[in-house]
Amino acid sequence: QVQLVESGGGLVQAGESLKLSCEASGSTFDDYVMGWFRQAPGKAREFVSAVNWYGDKFQYRDSVKGRFKVSRDNAKRMVYLEMKMLKPEDTAVYFCAAGGYAVSNYKSDYDYWGQGTQVTVSS
């Protein structure tokens, strides 16, 4: 098992930036593909970004390309999501997730989830 704890969420104005962090504990962090998902009220959880265990393969949903960047530091057992030029539609609870094998945008490919951190972007 792996435990994931997100941090860094908050309230920002449109156009500002936030950096989310996810710290893993329990199992070896570098064995996992790490993903970020988000869920807005009344909507399904959706894929945001993912990075493989080597930190050299990435995936982003179209709406965040060029604005968000995912990275990981296996020595620190951390994964990050840098979010720039935030928009009100980015408002959601952001979840860190851990899975295996290749980078994936499917929720079912991830086995472990954090509790989420709220990101609110005001207009």
Side-chain angles (χ1 to χ4, degrees):
Q1 293 185 353
V2 60
Q3 293 79 47
L4 306 174
V5 180
E6 304 95 336
S7 62
L11 173 63
V12 298
Q13 295 183 354
E16 295 184 338
S17 301
L18 278 176
K19 183 177 181 179
L20 305 182
S21 299
C22 174
E23 184 173 7
S25 62
S27 300
T28 53
F29 175 71
D30 56 319
D31 287 344
Y32 295 98
V33 171
M34 299 298 297
W36 287 96
F37 290 75
R38 66 188 182 186
Q39 187 166 18
K43 297 184 178 180
R45 186 170 28 174
E46 65 182 18
F47 173 78
V48 177
S49 184
V51 57
N52 72 339
W53 49 87
Y54 296 109
D56 61 353
K57 293 182 173 60
F58 312 91
Q59 185 68 55
Y60 300 91
R61 71 179 297 110
D62 288 343
S63 62
V64 308
K65 288 181 178 178
R67 298 190 298 119
F68 290 12
K69 185 175 76 174
V70 65
S71 61
R72 68 190 296 162
D73 186 334
N74 290 342
K76 297 181 178 180
R77 301 174 64 84
M78 299 286 290
V79 63
Y80 308 98
L81 184 66
E82 297 177 70
M83 306 182 295
K84 299 180 179 179
M85 297 299 297
L86 283 162
K87 304 175 180 180
E89 51 263 43
D90 295 319
T91 295
V93 176
Y94 283 71
F95 297 91
C96 179
Y101 306 106
V103 170
S104 173
N105 63 347
Y106 297 108
K107 295 189 296 292
S108 60
D109 286 336
Y110 295 88
D111 301 309
Y112 307 100
W113 298 83
Q115 293 181 311
T117 185
Q118 177 71 49
V119 173
T120 302
V121 185
S122 63
S123 60

